[in-house]
Amino acid sequence: QVQLVESGGGLVQPGGSLRLSCAASGLTFSRNTMAWFRQAPGKERAFVAAISWSANTRVYADSVKGRFTISRDIAKSSVYLQMNSLKPEDTGVYYCSAATSATMSQRAEQYDYWGQGTQVTVSS
């Protein structure tokens, strides 16, 4: 019973910051990729960032490079997304996901498990 639970979403003004958390259970982490995707209304689910659980290597979408940071806490079995300098176009439902390999893929179909999503709204 794999479970991914996101938290930390909310309403923030442009230029503000938000930190998302994803608590994972039921996974064997050593060979996993953990990732964040986001989806705006009427749009396809889009890659945001990924992290290799064992190696702590990270990859980001071009649209968030320099603004977002993905990290993991082994003891807490959690991944995080620190979002700074937020823009209105960052608005959407953010999903935590897990792949049972170190693929580091940017394609949603490569991921096996998904959280329920947390809403992020960037607006003045």
Side-chain angles (χ1 to χ4, degrees), residues 7-102:
S7 61
L11 175 65
V12 64
Q13 293 188 341
S17 296
L18 212 56
R19 189 184 191 227
L20 306 183
S21 299
C22 174
S25 61
L27 288 169
T28 300
F29 289 98
S30 61
R31 295 177 292 187
N32 284 358
T33 301
M34 305 294 291
W36 291 94
F37 288 76
R38 65 188 181 189
Q39 189 167 22
K43 301 292 185 180
E44 294 292 313
R45 194 167 296 187
F47 175 81
V48 176
I51 185 168
S52 171
W53 189 258
S54 60
N56 199 30
T57 53
R58 293 172 282 188
V59 63
Y60 298 93
D62 288 343
S63 59
V64 306
K65 284 181 180 177
R67 299 189 297 121
F68 291 11
T69 303
I70 188 171
S71 61
R72 53 100 160 109
D73 186 321
I74 294 174
K76 295 182 180 294
S77 297
S78 296
V79 296
Y80 307 94
L81 187 68
Q82 178 66 47
M83 305 184 293
N84 299 326
S85 301
L86 282 161
K87 305 173 181 179
E89 51 262 47
D90 295 318
T91 293
V93 178
Y94 282 68
Y95 297 92
C96 180
S97 62
T100 55
S101 72

